[in-house]
Amino acid sequence: MKRRHFLKTAPGLAGLLGLPVIAPAETKRSPTLPPIMNDVDPHDEAFWTMIREHFPLTRDRIYLNTGGLGASPYVSINAVKTKIDELEEISETGHSEKLWHDIKTTAGRCLGCDPEEVAYTRNTTEGINIVCNGLPLQRNDEVITSTHEHVGNTITWLVRQKQEGIVMKVFEPSMESAQGNIDRIEKLITKRTKALSISHVTTATGQVLPVKEIGELAKALNLWYFIDGAQSAGMMPLEVHDIGCHAYATSGHKWLVGPKGTGLLYIQKEALDEIKAKFVGAYSNTGDYDFVTGEVHLNPTAQRYEYGTVSVPLFVGLGASMEFLLRIGLKNIWRRVHAMGAALSDGLKDLGVEVLSPAHPDEHSAMITFRLKNVDRSTLQSFLAEKFKLRTRGIYEGGLEGIRISLHLYNSFDDVNSVLEAVQAAKKL
Ligand SMILES: Cc1ncc(COP(=O)(O)O)c(C=O)c1O
């Protein structure tokens, strides 16, 4: 059954930003937003083809690296350009509390939190650094992470280990079951364990870790709980309150399809005074400070982690990107991209290819990693790029030596078939 329900509701941030909302047929190359949707069938090709038209992304190659960088829709690119033009004419930063709050409200709808719990960052890595260096950890305190983390969620902690003597402990994610991962974390826990730092969706295999269940464990043991959400926000609906983490960092420029150099950091209200703001300046405080008394008051919200002048146009663009995704519906996007991930994984297995991503529907995502016995990672990646024009990402994390395919809302089942055709050819190399 194809279900496509256009909802006639308030325009949300679109209206506030003055973004035009027009019908699907008029979208080509114009800076518009898609209609607000209720339920969309993941196989409704007419709908998803219309969505593809909202992106200037070239068709000269097949883009399969949203895990690295997401492509932005016209509406977002245009919002950035318009804001730059407007601000350059008057040479102003354009910072306004209302604008900041409105965009954070939209971010809160993507993450499942309050606007006061959101800080703008430049990328996930900056969010990880804020949390890693802000947590009240002492020498010999232990932090648990996995071997499938991105370098951004690895060297941050290793540097703190080297400089301050915290102790990192790692587990290799189980591909067998969610419980297997909880067991592996539990096995590493000692009396000195103070924090968990794991990905929601791992960069290595796109595995969805059981973050809520891990949150229950963290709560029961009174552990700090940080999640690297670089690969989840924008790919799926999120409820960070429900997950129960203290902090969650993501990038605006991956699955949220926002401008490059934008990120979001969620810090739970109750954790704001505990996760110390180490980098501060204008915008971090409430205005009153005094050298004589030493008095200084940080903003009572997550705004305290922001400091100095930033690019307002980029965050206006991020607001437009998030609004774009929310109108289509994160649930609809997740069902579509998850279905493409499943089709790719099944197709690769039918070809006899080793799929490194988990098989269970609750554990795989829209990123699928695989490898071939007969072709090494870099030869395979070059072959796919040169002969089949596929932009993929090589995976060296965890020593996997695989190729990762990311499938977002501008990809299609035809793209999945193109990957399968190319891999079939690579098998004969
Ligand atoms: C899980 C994970 N964390 C962090 C990052 C770093 O993202 P950024 O460069 O936006 O900081 C990535 C990038 O691929 C990632 O996959």
Side-chain angles (χ1 to χ4, degrees):
M1 180 178 65
K2 284 199 193 310
R3 282 180 299 167
R4 227 196 280 170
H5 296 153
F6 288 31
L7 294 182
K8 287 196 186 89
T9 58
L13 189 68
L16 296 166
L17 294 175
L19 300 169
V21 180
I22 61 166
E26 299 166 63
T27 59
K28 206 168 179 195
R29 294 212 169 264
S30 44
T32 59
L33 285 163
I36 296 177
M37 303 303 294
N38 190 350
D39 278 344
V40 185
D41 191 304
H43 293 275
D44 183 344
E45 292 313 312
F47 176 80
W48 295 106
T49 302
M50 179 273 287
I51 292 300
R52 176 66 177 84
E53 294 293 318
H54 286 262
F55 292 83
L57 181 65
T58 182
R59 290 164 198 272
D60 291 348
R61 64 176 187 172
I62 301 178
Y63 190 72
L64 302 160
N65 189 32
T66 300
L69 207 61
S72 295
Y74 287 109
V75 71
S76 166
I77 301 164
N78 192 63
V80 175
K81 287 179 179 168
T82 306
K83 202 69 186 171
I84 289 176
D85 287 347
E86 179 191 317
L87 294 174
E88 286 304 323
E89 247 176 53
I90 51 172
S91 193
E92 294 289 349
T93 61
H95 195 284
S96 106
E97 265 180 40
K98 179 171 175 355
L99 178 66
W100 239 218
H101 186 268
D102 288 342
I103 302 172
K104 285 185 182 180
T105 303
T106 305
R109 288 170 61 209
C110 291
L111 300 179
C113 67
D114 302 333
E116 292 75 21
E117 295 172 303
V118 177
Y120 296 132
T121 58
R122 286 175 299 163
N123 47 50
T124 301
T125 309
E126 188 176 7
I128 298 171
N129 271 280
I130 290 170
V131 176
C132 169
N133 293 297
L135 278 175
L137 300 175
Q138 312 291 329
R139 179 168 291 278
N140 294 326
D141 281 351
E142 294 172 2
V143 179
I144 298 174
T145 189
S146 88
T147 55
H148 284 190
E149 303 301 317
H150 183 270
V151 62
N153 193 33
T154 305
I155 67 163
T156 30
W157 298 97
L158 286 177
V159 167
R160 192 158 181 200
Q161 171 172 270
K162 198 167 179 180
Q163 293 175 344
E164 297 179 36
I166 63 165
V167 177
M168 294 308 297
K169 294 202 151 181
V170 283
F171 69 97
E172 183 172 349
S174 157
M175 294 296 139
E176 301 310 321
S177 70
Q179 186 58 44
N181 282 304
I182 297 167
D183 295 345
R184 286 179 190 201
I185 292 173
E186 269 187 313
K187 261 197 195 143
L188 293 179
I189 290 175
T190 71
K191 275 196 251 143
R192 299 219 63 97
T193 307
K194 288 287 172 347
L196 306 177
S197 173
I198 56 150
S199 287
H200 190 164
V201 173
T202 70
T203 205
T205 67
Q207 177 174 24
V208 184
L209 288 171
V211 284
K212 190 164 178 207
E213 291 76 4
I214 296 172
E216 283 159 14
L217 179 69
K219 190 167 181 198
L221 299 174
N222 201 21
L223 304 177
W224 288 107
Y225 185 26
F226 167 68
I227 299 180
D228 176 342
Q231 301 296 353
S232 42
M235 185 200 276
M236 58 180 68
L238 292 176
E239 294 294 340
V240 290
H241 282 165
D242 196 39
I243 291 171
C245 54
H246 295 101
Y248 195 104
T250 193
S251 304
H253 45 238
K254 293 182 190 285
W255 301 85
L256 286 171
V257 300
K260 290 38 185 180
T262 57
L264 301 172
L265 173 64
Y266 157 78
I267 304 261
Q268 191 187 56
K269 256 185 216 117
E270 296 72 26
L272 283 168
D273 286 334
E274 310 275 354
I275 301 175
K276 304 288 180 214
K278 295 281 171 96
F279 287 87
V280 291
Y283 305 106
S284 311
N285 66 323
T286 48
D288 43 343
Y289 54 90
D290 188 336
F291 257 122
V292 178
T293 61
E295 203 174 310
V296 53
H297 297 287
L298 287 178
N299 193 300
T301 74
Q303 174 74 40
R304 63 178 59 187
Y305 301 101
E306 295 175 36
Y307 51 91
T309 305
V310 298
S311 168
V312 168
L314 291 187
F315 286 96
V316 167
L318 178 59
S321 291
M322 293 188 293
E323 181 72 18
F324 178 90
L325 297 179
L326 287 166
R327 293 175 77 90
I328 297 165
L330 290 168
K331 197 174 74 183
N332 289 326
I333 292 169
W334 175 227
R335 287 203 311 223
R336 164 80 171 175
V337 300
H338 186 271
M340 288 191 288
L344 177 61
S345 182
D346 291 348
L348 288 168
K349 283 177 199 155
D350 288 347
L351 294 178
V353 169
E354 185 185 7
V355 176
L356 300 168
S357 305
H360 196 284
D362 290 344
E363 288 180 57
H364 80 74
S365 67
M367 294 199 300
I368 300 294
T369 303
F370 65 95
R371 66 185 168 201
L372 294 184
K373 280 193 186 67
N374 57 319
V375 195
D376 68 71
R377 161 171 68 87
S378 88
T379 310
L380 179 55
Q381 196 181 8
S382 303
F383 174 80
L384 297 175
E386 283 155 27
K387 299 278 184 246
F388 287 87
K389 295 189 165 33
L390 305 184
R391 171 62 165 103
T392 63
R393 155 60 147 105
I395 293 292
Y396 54 84
E397 286 87 350
L400 292 181
E401 296 301 321
I403 297 291
R404 185 185 73 191
I405 303 293
S406 304
L407 297 156
H408 204 5
L409 75 171
Y410 34 70
N411 293 111
S412 64
F413 285 95
D414 283 349
D415 294 347
V416 171
N417 290 335
S418 298
V419 175
L420 295 174
E421 190 193 333
V423 172
Q424 171 82 302
K427 281 183 71 188
K428 299 189 191 117
L429 282 176

